[in-house]
Structures are given as structure tokens and as C-alpha cells.
């Protein structure tokens, strides 16, 4: 009997071992980005921007050109590149600390200017890299090293919904929130990424895909339970779906 | 005069840091000078980790231990990294469950302790570190098991308190492993 | 009969157990008898003949450990 | 009080609480995370303010606000985070507000690494922000000294109405040592903060906190006033320690963790019959120029040892006023020099092998 | 015949002459803030934050305690103060360059944390202070010194709607957009301010009032025509109204 | 080409266009606004990129991006805006990227004022960001020199793969002078930017732009490499002008606008029979130490004249190596010293009235 | 008959003309015959008797130049 | 040898900056060295403004003019600020429409020009600056009216071009005002 490879490591990924903890869904998201760039045949003219977070080292993981950006500033770096290389594909890969906290201004203004870039936004409701501090997206009651009794609305506010907020920006073209908690959603997430990169390739403007992701280590639960926790706790507060799509005629 | 300089090294997750901290806690309690210092490998996640502990009756100066009196080696990469630093006639304690088939220096005292195996026998792989610590205490005599257990009682509260008994056994088994 | 098979890149595996959970035919588990070069307990297949080549395991593996092959019947059987 | 074993970052946090710090505003960054983490838990139980800000920029501006309102306030970060705070720091200095800023230095430039370093010496002592201003900058070598100086730094900041920088490296942040957190520290002679814009108009007329002076003559006058403060620091508030200087042939100039390592180095040298002393700056601004005037005539060489490419060298040269030959030994990027390396360098110098 | 003073300079203002250009509506907004603080009897325990913009010098104009903040950072400064003086009233006064451009992160995160402060946001669709550069709120086609052929969507994006965006932040309590283009709207604007400060006084959280304002000098039209220009051009793109009001039970 | 009368800010903008600057990213701030304003209009017509960024922080990170992609890129700002860029600048230096940064200095600290100043000397020459890095920093005195140096600075930046800072003050930004914008400047020997992460994988293997080195040994090696570059700058690329030095009794050390004022001062002094020369640093990093070795033996005193509280003094002291007495005259906060004041200071010194 | 009157703080006035536009009875204009201390052409009232004390002028004046008084008839006419 | 140092001062909006720039433009065209430098008062808006213009055959050094050869004073505050700097026997040109009742130095040449009134007569208050400039040219003879007008023709395009005739008249009237 002969056989056909139906799934293998993407050519969009290098041979480096990913630096993520076992079972961290950052890895799944990396695969999707890599596969999408390969599928759309964009890899050779893509520049990716690593941000600061657990994914800081992913300049080694993607097999396209990469720049490592200062914490929160990836969309500015992407703007800098895209404006001088308008025919390239430029994406940023940013965590929720990076994008929603220190870098919210840069994300908003890239959208505001309608920069023709794609943001891959990984929301794991925590600062993974620095050991589990509270993020703007940390849920109420969630324990982190800087909300040790659980996030408390009175002193720490209510979790920020980034896609909802960014969808209000007139300059943004496409914003969707996805999850990678099972194969079906992984495939849906990939479709979203494809749409985003396709929009960029067609020069239709700014796109952002928000991924609900896990942090088994800092959440203190195993990888599978982490996925379940994301489904049970994060998705209700961060509903999946398309938040903005100017390509279907919406203003 | 007490003046013990020890490096403890292994994978992240093997409890290497805690071993060192326990020694420093006891030292503090005994009014000795002590300094504990951690170091993590360049890997962000799941890489190697080590700590240095100095225990001394006089002031502790350099936090960096150039020539340790003892080293506790919990995994293969650490042996290569630290063996050469050990002082002549120093103590080289090896977790022989994981470190196999490597060469040791001849001018030092080598103690092989199958810490993982012993820990698994005790029912919890996690106490492999305590097995090694027991062995270390037996060899160096800096402190007694009891001093370590007392500190644990102070520091381990809540659910962790239940593990103290297991740790006591691990320390004991570690002692035995090098005594025999 | 197996519809396909998976190939495990043992040293990439981190033993996270995600794939095992998603395999619809429950033929994946960690091989507790060994550790790989990086200290992890790697994946193994218990009953390869049950594999339906759905690629769920590979899809969910964060570390691109798993390659999935589907067996194809050729017209002329070489 | 008896000593407790604490991690540097946590000891620093506790020291701030003991000093009556009313508010902490900061953003996570390695290798100082245990500091805000500790405070996130303990400030609230003391009825004090803790905010994990959205960024370092926000943190330092929150500090500016609280300081302007008359509170004792602290922030901490590590090298690139401190770089981001430069505009805020120059505002705080310009508006003459007291604040304590901790820099747990790591390797640079850029994102660099996360291991210990002293490569922010220039950033700290020359001011990375715009304009003529200075921070009072303390560089302790042990956890006990760190705790003591942090406690006193709130007094110093209030006294001078100037930001105080605590310059430590990742070693001090991460190490554990026994400390007595209740040791008495010097109380400075402080006046009530009648200048504070604290929204308390019943006690005082309207107060304004500001660093804007559109009239150049006003701004020049303001600068002259600021400069007097820095001159006062330089003249009367240099701090340093001279170690083992009697009959020393060489003085190692080192601060912070490197000074500790140098202490071991001089022991090694003593065993070899070489008499080496240490000039240990405790303030790096004002730089302890006076220490160099006090060196015994036996000293024939200076060796500057740093975890940087030689940023302190300039200050040593200026203080030395061309008297003694100056040599340099530096390790960077997170590599901590070993005592043996420094000792060897001394041996090379004395044997005439080295010239900077 | 006797007489009664029915309108006079507010006690909330000092005797300084305002530094604004003739006919600039910054002055009207100042009066409203001052009057509101007096009416609610809050002046004695208020700290105002001047930002950087034409209003940078207003630390001299309000008769309460004032702090001058770095460009864009007023909400952070306000947070710093409010957390140590929770019983005081703290407001920021910020232009659209200050708040919507360089300071958008600080504004968003003050709202996100639910800081109990009030932001007075003056949107005049331009950078007044620095001589008329484009702001994020500059309208399409509007000429500024950095959009000399008129703001162009392709390279400069679509104008940012700040109130709409901030209304999406779960932590914010009250957000309204007002205008001061005639006495009726001035009075409405004052009501909005009163509501905002009242919310703060009752410790109900974050409020922001966005004012449509003019910049006769940099728009290059006289004060009255400026007011008309704002009505004809700004209000259609920036509709007036309450964008968020958690005090009426909305989530 | 004939000369045209231009405002400094606009001349700088045009110089960048002439130098083939591909992109400008900046944020408005007085007194440099005409620079981005000019470019907002003219970059597009040249098919180049112009973005008014949301902040200085964004601007410098856009510069980082474009530089990493191999473009010639520039930003400009003024003092507090430069303070905000410190993190970005250390990243650019750390990742070894070429970029041109203009600082049109104004009075500080904090918001300060908007009048001319040189109070960012430390910020520029000592690096306000974290880590061991340096900028190549040029300080022209006239619009012609400014234009020429900006054009060359793109070459220098590319050559060293290092940011170049153009340090001018509000005077140069705001004044108008006739300039020839087409004057030839030195072309440096440049290699193709094969290192650029420009998304052009057909020509080269994958490129990475980065300043993160988690392994301390890698980071130390990287620092040693960087340091070699700075040493090369110091050894071979100091720039300065010695003016009227023959038989001079005193040398005025002054850069930028103050050097021009000093030129008038020495004329005034010449009329009084006093021979004064000028040491004019053109690079402030590397500081032109060599100039001081070339001073004729007639020079008996040095007078440092600056629009700061004396930030350049340290460099002069270091370069002077304790040879000559050093005096200081500074005005700050936007006050521009008059030639007569400097001349008077010289007279006082020569009459023995002044000691620093 | 006037319902009230306005008092103009001449030196605060910047001659912006906003008030004049909003006065419903059109009795305000700038006094072109003079400039105030700061170089501006200040406000004047042309027909004070027409003032209805609506305070529109004062409400719209950015510089708090105008004080408005309403005449009140007293019960016992002093 | 030409070496003219002039300070022109008034309120923002009086066209003070333009007067100086025109002089520098002509100088550039004539291949002279020149330097124009503006200064604004500390008031952010509507305050005072002045500029310095140097025109010289040799290099222009200090951009700051300590001792001007001429000063043109367009409003009261400027007189107080600059009068004392004027060199002995220098030219003091005063817009006497706005500057009234103040004392002038006795060791300088004073020219009072009712520039606002003249401009209003010409039909546009805005050209008061050109009236003063005409007077200045008449007094100093640095350039001719025609040279100024030629530059205007180059620089003033579009709607502004229509104003050139008016400006020519203003220059002429200014000249007359000091000639008489
Ligand atoms: C200027 C600056 N501030 C702070 C840090 C420290 N830091 C590194 S990663 C990180 C947060 C990462 O969290 P997130 O973006 O959520 O990514 P994750 O690790 O969760 O994927 C922080 C605060 C830094 N490197 N630079
Ligand atoms: C860090 C920093 N960047 C830039 C500036 C320059 N600056 C001063 S005001 C201003 C913009 C003001 O515009 P806006 O906030 O809209 O206020 P307006 O003047 O229009 O009322 C800018 C960019 C500064 N002072 N500080
Ligand atoms: S710390 Fe969390 S987010 Fe980071 S790699 Fe580990 S599991 Fe993933
Ligand atoms: S391909 Fe499907 S059936 Fe086969 S091992 Fe993977 S998950 Fe199980
Ligand atoms: S999901 Fe991947 S890494 Fe995890 S156990 Fe399975 S094969 Fe190994
Ligand atoms: S510049 Fe514009 S916003 Fe500023 S005071 Fe003048 S008119 Fe008002
Ligand atoms: S109060 Fe009313 S009627 Fe009287 S002047 Fe003012 S606007 Fe006119
Ligand atoms: S609105 Fe005020 S400033 Fe304007 S003209 Fe009327 S009184 Fe004068
Ligand atoms: Mg995260
Ligand atoms: Mg504005």
C-alpha cells in the first residue's frame, strides 16, 4: 500500500524547537501562521515581527525574514517596514501584555492609519514570559502573581475586550476573534488567518486576528485542562466571531 | 569554621532552587551568613537551572562561586558545565538515575545516588531533590535532616505540609545511599 | 485496518498530552518508559492499526511533532 | 530584630513598605518581578496604593502624579524599562519631586539579556532624559545595605525634592541573604510638603506642580536653583567605603555586586602577599571623588572593575585627576566576573602586564 | 432699580488672562469646568491635570491645585494622584493630540482600570499648540500643516472616533460627546460635566466628556465661522450624545 | 548650484531628501515642526514614505523597522521627545541598524521651554538608553554645514550600521541662511545591505534583525563587537575645527551655535588685542580629544562655552588630561549667550578673575 | 426698556466677535476706535436699552469678559 | 562693505517676521551672506515677536545681534525691550501709530512713521509692515524697493500675488514718510 502525507511540519517553520512550555497553544498558532503563509505562497516576501513575550524568540521559528521589536511596538515596527516595502507581507505576533497593555497605542494607531498589515494577537489572559503577572485581559477573579487573590474589579478594573474596541476604529478592515481549542476551531482559525493575509495581499488594509490561547504553566493547570479552562472561562467573556469586516460592505 | 560553597544544578522543574534555599534558610536560622543565588539557562522555558549557596561564619563576599566545595548534579548537561569548577577533593554528588555513562574527575569524591529511582520507590518523583539533599548533608555534615525538616515545617503550609513526611523519608534515603 | 499512520519526531515532543486527548480512537499515550534528549516523556502509539488518519493529533500538537500519512490504494498494485 | 532570609527583590519591596511608601506603580520586567509581585500582595493590606500600570511610561507618570500630591512613591524596573521612563524622570527632576526609582540592571543594549549587568551607569548618572538634571543614585552591594538605603532613600528624596535612583543589578535582585529589615536608618530633617498639589486647599493656597517655564530667564533661574541642589549633593553627600586600604599597592574601584566580588579578590590577593584595597562608591551620583583624595600614598595603581564596557571609567579618571595609572576590567552581557579574574588582573597590573 | 448678577467670571478661574487665541472655544470649556467645580462645591479638594497642548498653561487658569503632565500622560498622572488621594476630585484636561494620539494608551487604561477620574477631552481636529499639524481626529480632506493637500484616507487613515472606541471599554462608567457651539449646547455640555464630576464624587468610576472645539487660528477661519465649521463638519462625523452610561443599569 | 535661503528645519528636511532618505517617521514638537511639515509635503512627491506617528515612541520604532528592512530612514524631534525615544534608540544601536536622528534641542529639564539649548549633550553622548552603546553624534554650526552633514550622515550610518545623531539647537532649526543643498559630500565605501530583513528571500537566506541575546556569552561577544565599532569611531572619525589658533592665549571650546557666537567673540577680543582661538567639536561623540593634543603651546587657558550647565566640561577635562586650566561659561533655559558675554569671560580669565 | 445690562472687562477682551454674533438683539460690536492694553479691539454695546439680559453673550465669551446683571424691581422702591 | 544688523519687533500678526525674511531673501539673491532669526515671547499665543537680520559681505557669525545698527519697533513693549541695545548713532524706526508718548534715546536717529495710519489709508492695515520696511530702506539704503518687490513676485504666488501692488505703494509711502 502507498501512502500520502496529509499533515506535516510546515515549511513556514524552521527546524528550531519551539521555546514554549509543553502544551502551550502558542505552538498551534505558530503552525497556523506558517501554514497560511505557505498556502498563500507569501513566505518569500514576508517579514514577521516578533514582539516581547514568550514568543520573543520566534524570529528563529518562522522561516521568513524576521525583526524582533521592543515590547508593545511591533505595529510601529511593522508600519516602518510596510511603508518602505509596500509589496511585502508584514505581520506582527503579539501577546496580550504586549498588545493590550504597553502596546495598545501602537496597535490602535496602526489600525487608525489603516496600515496594510496583519496582527496575530495571542490572548492568554496573562503575562507568560515574565512569570504570570496580570494582563489587561486577565479575567475577574483569575489569580496571577500580581492579582494573588484574584483580579478584583474595584482596584484592577474589568478585563479589556480588544477586538470589540479595535472594531470601532474606522481605519480597520478586518477583525476576528478565534480559538484553537479543538481541531474544528483550529481550522476555523486558519480560515480567519487566510482571510487576513489575503486582505493584506490585496492591499485592503489593516487586519487583526485575536487568538484565545493558553498558558498552562502560569495558569498552573495541565495543557488539556488549560484548553478547557479557556473554553469555559475565556470564550464566554471573549466571544468568538468577526468583529469587523469592511470587505463585505460594512462602513 | 563553617564555610561551605555549593552549586546545585539540573533541569528547571527538578527542585534545584528549593534545595539551595532550604540550606540558606537553615543557615539564617543558625545565625550563619549565607547567600543563595539562582541562575537560569538561556532557554526561556524548560531549560537548565542552577543555584549557588554559600554558608559561612564570616561575611559572604562574592555571590559567584568560582570553586565550589561541593556540587550536586541533577542532569547530564550540568555535569559538563560544573565538574571542572569543583575544588580538588571536593564532593561531587550525582543523580545517577539520569546521569549515566559520563566520566568523572579523579581528584574529587564522587557519590552516585539514584535519586529518581529512590524517589519513585518512595512514591513521588518530585522528592528526588530531597534524596540528593540528604546525601549532601550526609557527606558534608553542614546541617542535620532535622534542621531541614524544621524549616520545611515553617515554610510549607497548607497542602504542601502533607509532603513533609515524604520529604523526611527522602532525606533519610539519600543519607543512606551515600552511607552504604 | 489502519487508514494511515503517524510518524513521531520523538525529540521534538514535549509530552504535553494534547494529542492523546484529541485522538478519536484513543491510540496515543506517553511512553513512560523513556525520556527524549530534552528530558521529556515522548509520545507513542498503542494500537497503530486503529489509526483513521484524521490528523486531529497533528493538528493539535503545538510542536509539529507528528506527521500523518494516509494509506492510498493504487490502481495497479505494485 | 533577628534576620530573615529574603530574596533581594522582595527585601527591596518590604524596605519600601517599612519606609512608609504610600504607592507603588510599576510594570513587570525581568529580573525584578518579585518586587511588584510582593507589593501587589502587601501594599493593599497596609492600605497603600499598588497599580500594575499599562507600561513603564505610565508608571513613571503615575509616580510623578503621586509625588506631586505629596505621597511617598516608588517604581522599579530594569534597563530597557528605565530607558522608557526617561521623559518621566526628567519631568520629576524638573518639577522637583521626591520619588524612589529602582533599576535592577540587566545586559543591554536593546532587549539585551536578562542576566546581571551594570551597563546603565551612564543612563543613571548622566541622565538619559533631556536637560540639566541629576538623580541621587545609590548602588548598594548587599541585601542589608540595599534595604537600609531604600529606607533612607525616601528621606533623601523628600529632603532634596529630587528623584533617588537605586542602582542594583540582577544579582542583588535575585539573590537571597539574611536581612534585618527593621534596622534604624538615618532620619533626615524634613519639612512638611506644603508645596504639594494634593487638593487640600483648606491648609494652603493653590499649589502648582510644573516643569514648564516659557520665559528663558525663568528657566535659567530654575536651572541655577536645581544646580545648587546637585552641587550640595556633590559637596556634602558623597558616600563611599574604603576597604583594606592600609598599605595597599593597588585600589580596585568597584560598586554593587562587583565590589563584593572584589572583596573576595583582595582576599585571594592577600594570600599571595599582594596588598589590594577597594574604593567602593555607594553613591554613583554624586560620584565619590573625595575617596580618591584619601587614598594612601602606597597606592600606585587603580583598577576599575565593572559589569560594563567601562562606563564608570570616566568618573574615575575625573576624580583621579591624572594622578595614578588607571586600569580596567569589565565583563558584560550578563557575565559576572569571578574574583579570580579580578585578582589575576591585579597580578598582571602589578607585574606590569596591563595597561588600559 | 436694583440689579442681580446673573453671569460673571467663575470663581473657579484665576485672574490670569487665558493664553488662548481670540475666539478659541478652549476658553468656553474652561469656564464650564470651573463653574461645575464651583457649583458642586468641589473646588477646594480638586486637583486638575494640565496636559501638553494649547492648554498646557491652564495650571495658571483654574483656581484649584494643578499638576502639569507630560504630553499624553495626564490620565496616568491622575491615576497616580487619585490612588493616594481617593477622596479628592481629579480631572485631566487634554487635547486630541494629547489624548487621541500620544496618550491613547493612558486614556484607555485609566478607563480600563475604572479609575475614578474625569477626563475633559477637547477635540479640535488639529494640533493647536504646535502650529496646526494633523491630529487623529482631523477630518478627511482637512488641510493641516502635515496634510497640506487635505487628510487622505489611503496614507493617513480615517479619523479616529475616541468616544465610540472608549465606550467599548468595560471599565468605563460614563462617556458623552458634547459641543459648545451655541448657548443651548453650552448648557448641555455643562450638564454633562456635572454628571461626570458627580459620578466621580460618588466614586462610581471613570468618566470622559469629549468636547467638539475650534481652532480658529490653525483652521485659518474666524472664530464664528470656526464654530459653524465644527457644526457642519465635525458633528456629522462625531455625533453628539451619551456613548456609555453605566449608571443607568447598562452592563 | 546657487544658494537658496532656507529655514534650518526645512533645509534639514531637504538635505534628507537629497541624501536619498526613503522614509521619515516623526511626531510634532517645537522647535522642529517645519521639518516634518516640509517632508509631509515633499516625501510623497518623491515616492518616499512619510508618517506622522502617534508618538515619539512609535516614530523611533518605525525607524527601527524601516532601517531593519534596509531603507534609509530618519526621524527628528526635540529634547523631551528624544527622551521618549531612548528605548528605541538603544534597540537600533543594539541591532546595529543605520538611522539618522535629529535633535533640535530646547531647554529642559522636563517640559522646560521651547527656546534654544544644548542641554541634551549627556543624553546624546552618553546614551540615555540602557546598555553599552554609542551614537555617532554630529553638531554643525551653520545651515550649510548642517545640510552637508545630514547628507553625509546617511552614509555614515550605513557604514557603521549605527544610528547617527544630528545635535542642533533651536537656533539652527529656526534660523534662515543661504545654503547650497547640492554641494557634494563625502561618499563612504558602502556594502550592499545583505543583512536586511526586507522580505526579499529570493536574493538571500533568511535575515533576522534582533538585539536579544539570552546567552550571556553571546551578549558579551556582541558587546565586544559593538565596542570595536565605537573604538574605530574614536580613533579614526573624530571631527573638529581649530579656529584662529596661531599664537592664541586661550582656546574657547564650543560647538554648534555657540561656536558661531564664539567666532564673533574672538573678533571682539582681537579688537582688544587678545588672541583667542576656538576648538570647535564637530563630532561630540566621538569627542575630538585629538584637537586638544594639537593646541599650540601659546594656549594657556581653556574656556568651555555652552548652552548647558556644563555638560561638555567632562569631555574637555578628559581630553585635556590635566594640562591647562579649564574655565566655564554657560547660559541655559533658552538664553543664548551673546558674543560680548563670552568675550568678557575671556577677559576676566586672562585678567585672572575667573576660575571654574 | 433694558431688562439688564452687561459689564465688559475691557482688557480681558480679545475682540473675537463671538458674543456679538450670539446676541439675539444685535446690540454688540467691536469698538474699532480703540485698542486695549493687549492690542485687541474690545467689545462695546451699541444700544444698551435693548439688552434682555439673556447672557448669551457671556455664555459664549471664551474669556469671561462679560458680567451680566438683570434689573430687579424691588417690593419697596428704595 | 555691507554689514547691516537689524532687529524688527512687534506683536505676533504684524508681519514682523516677513519683513526680516524679505531682507534676507534679497541678500541671498545678491549673493550676500545673511542670517535671519526669529524669536517669540513666552506667551504662547498673540504675544510679542521679533526677528534679527544680518546682511554682510563677510561671514555671518553670531546669529544673536547684541548691538543692532537699526531697529524697527512696531509696538510699545518692543521699544522698551530693544531700544537700549541699538548702537550709538543707529537708526530707530518707530511705528508711531501704536507707539506714542514714550521716550527715545537721544544718541540715535529716530524716525517716527505712522505706519498703521498710512496702511489704513492705503486700504489694508496688513501692509503697515511694508510701510515700515520702506522707511527702513530709505534710511539704510541696503536695498531698493524694487529688489523687495522682485522677491515678492517670486515668493507670493496665487491669491497673494494680487497684494504686490498694494505692497509697492506701502513701501513707497514708507520711504516718503522718512524722506519728508
Ligand atoms: C519595555 C519592556 N517592559 C517590560 C518587559 C518585560 N516583559 C517581557 S515579556 C512581558 C509580557 C509578556 O506577556 P504577553 O505579551 O502577554 O506574552 P506571553 O508571554 O503571555 O505570550 C513583559 C512585561 C520588557 N522586555 N520590555
Ligand atoms: C513628548 C512631547 N511630544 C511632543 C510635544 C509637542 N507638542 C506640544 S503640544 C502638541 C500637540 C497639541 O495638540 P492637542 O493635544 O490637540 O492640543 P491643542 O493644542 O490642539 O489644544 C505637541 C505635539 C511635546 N511637548 N512633548
Ligand atoms: S509561560 Fe505560558 S505562554 Fe509562555 S510558553 Fe509557557 S505556557 Fe506558553
Ligand atoms: S491521525 Fe487521528 S486516529 Fe491517527 S493517531 Fe492521530 S488522532 Fe489518532
Ligand atoms: S501534542 Fe505533540 S508535543 Fe504534545 S505529547 Fe503529543 S506529540 Fe508530544
Ligand atoms: S492655536 Fe487653536 S486651539 Fe490653540 S489657542 Fe489658538 S485657536 Fe485655540
Ligand atoms: S445679555 Fe443678551 S441681550 Fe444683553 S448684550 Fe448679552 S446677548 Fe445681548
Ligand atoms: S466674546 Fe468675549 S473676547 Fe470675544 S469679543 Fe466678545 S467679549 Fe470680547
Ligand atoms: Mg499573554
Ligand atoms: Mg487639538
Amino acid at each position: 500500500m502507498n501512502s500520502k502525507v496529509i499533515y506535516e511540519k510546515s515549511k513556514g517553520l524552521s527546524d528550531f524547537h519551539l521555546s514554549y512550555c509543553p502544551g502551550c497553544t502558542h505552538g498551534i498558532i505558530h503552525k497556523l501562521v506558517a501554514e497560511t503563509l505557505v498556502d498563500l505562497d507569501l513566505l518569500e516576501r514576508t517579514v514577521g515581527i516578533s514582539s516581547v513575550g514568550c514568543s520573543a524568540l520566534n524570529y528563529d521559528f518562522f522561516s521568513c525574514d524576521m525583526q524582533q521589536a521592543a515590547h508593545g511596538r511591533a505595529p510601529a515596527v511593522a508600519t516602518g517596514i510596510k511603508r518602505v516595502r509596500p509589496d511585502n507581507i508584514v505581520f506582527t505576533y503579539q501577546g496580550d501584555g504586549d498588545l493590550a497593555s504597553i502596546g495598545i497605542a501602537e496597535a490602535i494607531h496602526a489600525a487608525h492609519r489603516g496600515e496594510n498589515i496583519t496582527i496575530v494577537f495571542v490572548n492568554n489572559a496573562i503575562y507568560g514570559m515574565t512569570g504570570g503577572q496580570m494582563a489587561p485581559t486577565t479575567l475577574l477573579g483569575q489569580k496571577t502573581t500580581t492579582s494573588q487573590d484574584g483580579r478584583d474589579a474595584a482596584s484592577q478594573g474589568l478585563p479589556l475586550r480588544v477586538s470589540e474596541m479595535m472594531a470601532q476604529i474606522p481605519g480597520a478592515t478586518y477583525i476576528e476573534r478565534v480559538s484553537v481549542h479543538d481541531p474544528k476551531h483550529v481550522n476555523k482559525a486558519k480560515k480567519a488567518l487566510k482571510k487576513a493575509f489575503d486582505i493584506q495581499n490585496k492591499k485592503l488594509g489593516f487586519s487583526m486576528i485575536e487568538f484565545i490561547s493558553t498558558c498552562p504553566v502560569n495558569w498552573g493547570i495541565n495543557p488539556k485542562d488549560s484548553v478547557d479552562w479557556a473554553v469555559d472561562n475565556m470564550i464566554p467573556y471573549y466571544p468568538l466571531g468577526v468583529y469587523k469586516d469592511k470587505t463585505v460592505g460594512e462602513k | 569554621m563553617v564555610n561551605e560553597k555549593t552549586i546545585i544544578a539540573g533541569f528547571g522543574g527538578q527542585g534545584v532552587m528549593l534545595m539551595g534555599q532550604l540550606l540558606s534558610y537553615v543557615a539564617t536560622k543558625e545565625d550563619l551568613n549565607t547567600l543563595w543565588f539562582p541562575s537560569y539557562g538561556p532557554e526561556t522555558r524548560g531549560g537548565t537551572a542552577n543555584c549557588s549557596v554559600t554558608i559561612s561564619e564570616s561575611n559572604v563576599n562574592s555571590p559567584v562561586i568560582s570553586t565550589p566545595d561541593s556540587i550536586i548534579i541533577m542532569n547530564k548537561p550540568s555535569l559538563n558545565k560544573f565538574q571542572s569548577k569543583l575544588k580538588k577533593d571536593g564532593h561531587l554528588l550525582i543523580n545517577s538515575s539520569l546521569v549515566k555513562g559520563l566520566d568523572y574527575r579523579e581528584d574529587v569524591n564522587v557519590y552516585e545516588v539514584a535519586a529518581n529511582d529512590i524517589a519513585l520507590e518512595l512514591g513521588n518523583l518530585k522528592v528526588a531533590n530531597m534524596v540528593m539533599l540528604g546525601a549532601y548533608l550526609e557527606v558534608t555534615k553542614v546541617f542535620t535532616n532535622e534542621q531541614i525538616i524544621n524549616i520545611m515545617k515553617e515554610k510549607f503550609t497548607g497542602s504542601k505540609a502533607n509532603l513533609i513526611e515524604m520529604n523526611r523519608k527522602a532525606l533519610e534515603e539519600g543519607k543512606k545511599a551515600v552511607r552504604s | 485496518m489502519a487508514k494511515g499512520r503517524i510518524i513521531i519526531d520523538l525529540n521534538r515532543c514535549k509530552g504535553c498530552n494534547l494529542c492523546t486527548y484529541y485522538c478519536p480512537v484513543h491510540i496515543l499515550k506517553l511512553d513512560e518508559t523513556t525520556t527524549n534528549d530534552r528530558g521529556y516523556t515522548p509520545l507513542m502509539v498503542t494500537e497503530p492499526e486503529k489509526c483513521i488518519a484524521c490528523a486531529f493529533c497533528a493538528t493539535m500538537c503545538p510542536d509539529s511533532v507528528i506527521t500523518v500519512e494516509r494509506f492510498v490504494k493504487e490502481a495497479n498494485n505494485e | 530584630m533577628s534576620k530573615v532570609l529574603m530574596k533581594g527583590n522582595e527585601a527591596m519591596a518590604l524596605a519600601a513598605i517599612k519606609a512608609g511608601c504610600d504607592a507603588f506603580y510599576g510594570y513587570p520586567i525581568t529580573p525584578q518581578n518579585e518586587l511588584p509581585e510582593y507589593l501587589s500582595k502587601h501594599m493593599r493590606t497596609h492600605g497603600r496604593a499598588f497599580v500594575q500600570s499599562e507600561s513603564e511610561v505610565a508608571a513613571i507618570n503615575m509616580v510623578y502624579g503621586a509625588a506631586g500630591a505629596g505621597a511617598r512613591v516608588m517604581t522599579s524596573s530594569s534597563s530597557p524599562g528605565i530607558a522608557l521612563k526617561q521623559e518621566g524622570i526628567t519631568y520629576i527632576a524638573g518639577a522637583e519631586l521626591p520619588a524612589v526609582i529602582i533599576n535592577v540592571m540587566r545586559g543591554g543594549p536593546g532587549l539585551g539579556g536578562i542576566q546581571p549587568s551594570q551597563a546603565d551607569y551612564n543612563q543613571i548618572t548622566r541622565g538619559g532624559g533631556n536637560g540639566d538634571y541629576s538623580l541621587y543614585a545609590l548602588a548598594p552591594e548587599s541585601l542589608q545595605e540595599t534595604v537600609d538605603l531604600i529606607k533612607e532613600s525616601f528621606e533623601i528624596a523628600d529632603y532634596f525634592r529630587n528623584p533617588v535612583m537605586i542602582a542594583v543589578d540582577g544579582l542583588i535582585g535575585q539573590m537571597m541573604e539574611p536581612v534585618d529589615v527593621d534596622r534604624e536608618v538615618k532620619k533626615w530633617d524634613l519639612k512638611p510638603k506644603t508645596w504639594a498639589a494634593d487638593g487640600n486647599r483648606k491648609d494652603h493656597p493653590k499649589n502648582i506642580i510644573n516643569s514648564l517655564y516659557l520665559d528663558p530667564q525663568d528657566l535659567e533661574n530654575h536651572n541655577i536653583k536645581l544646580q545648587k541642589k546637585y552641587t550640595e549633593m556633590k559637596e556634602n553627600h558623597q558616600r563611599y567605603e574604603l576597604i583594606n586600604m592600609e598599605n595597599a599597592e593597588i585600589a580596585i574601584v568597584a560598586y554593587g555586586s562587583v565590589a563584593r566580588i572584589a572583596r573576595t579578590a583582595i582576599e585571594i590577593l592577600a594570600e599571595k602577599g599582594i596588598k589590594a584595597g577597594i574604593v567602593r562608591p555607594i553613591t554613583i551620583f554624586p560620584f565619590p571623588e573625595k575617596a580618591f583624595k584619601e587614598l594612601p600614598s602606597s597606592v600606585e595603581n587603580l583598577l576599575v572593575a565593572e559589569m560594563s564596557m567601562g562606563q564608570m571609567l570616566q568618573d574615575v579618571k575625573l576624580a583621579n585627576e591624572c594622578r595614578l595609572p588607571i586600569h580596567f576590567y569589565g565583563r558584560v552581557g550578563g557575565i559576572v566576573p569571578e574574583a579570580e579574574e579580578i585578582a589575576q588582573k591585579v597580578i598582571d597590573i602589578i607585574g606590569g602586564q596591563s595597561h588600559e
Side-chain angles (χ1 to χ4, degrees), chain A residues 78-99:
Chain A
T79 300
I81 299 168
K82 188 77 180 190
R83 293 285 180 134
V84 295
R85 304 278 178 254
D87 295 328
N88 285 359
I89 299 299
V90 180
F91 75 92
T92 71
Y93 187 106
Q94 303 178 257
D96 47 349
D98 194 81
L99 186 143

Side-chain angles (χ1 to χ4, degrees), chain A residues 62-134:
Chain A
F62 292 110
S63 48
C64 54
D65 277 359
M66 296 291 296
Q67 284 203 37
Q68 201 293 317
H71 194 31
R73 318 307 175 193
V77 175
T79 300
I81 299 168
K82 188 77 180 190
R83 293 285 180 134
V84 295
R85 304 278 178 254
D87 295 328
N88 285 359
I89 299 299
V90 180
F91 75 92
T92 71
Y93 187 106
Q94 303 178 257
D96 47 349
D98 194 81
L99 186 143
S101 190
I102 191 171
I104 193 72
E106 285 75 15
I108 284 174
H109 281 283
H112 157 234
R113 288 187 304 267
E115 296 298 341
N116 189 29
I117 61 169
T118 301
I119 290 182
V120 177
F121 168 39
V122 181
N123 178 0
N124 60 5
I126 207 158
Y127 287 21
M129 174 73 148
T130 40
Q133 294 82 11
M134 197 185 87

Side-chain angles (χ1 to χ4, degrees), chain D residues 7 12 27 53 70 137 156 185 187 217 240 265 304 344:
Chain D
K7 197 165 206 187
M12 291 193 267
Y27 187 74
S53 57
I156 299 172
V185 299
K187 294 277 169 241
Q217 192 54 63
Y240 54 91
V304 177
Q344 187 55 49

Side-chain angles (χ1 to χ4, degrees), chain A residues 19-22 24-26 54 124 126-129 214-218, chain B residues 45:
Chain A
S19 54
Y20 306 101
C21 304
C24 173
T25 48
H26 261 305
C54 286
N124 60 5
I126 207 158
Y127 287 21
M129 174 73 148
T214 64
C215 179
V217 160
N218 287 301
Chain B
R45 300 288 157 208

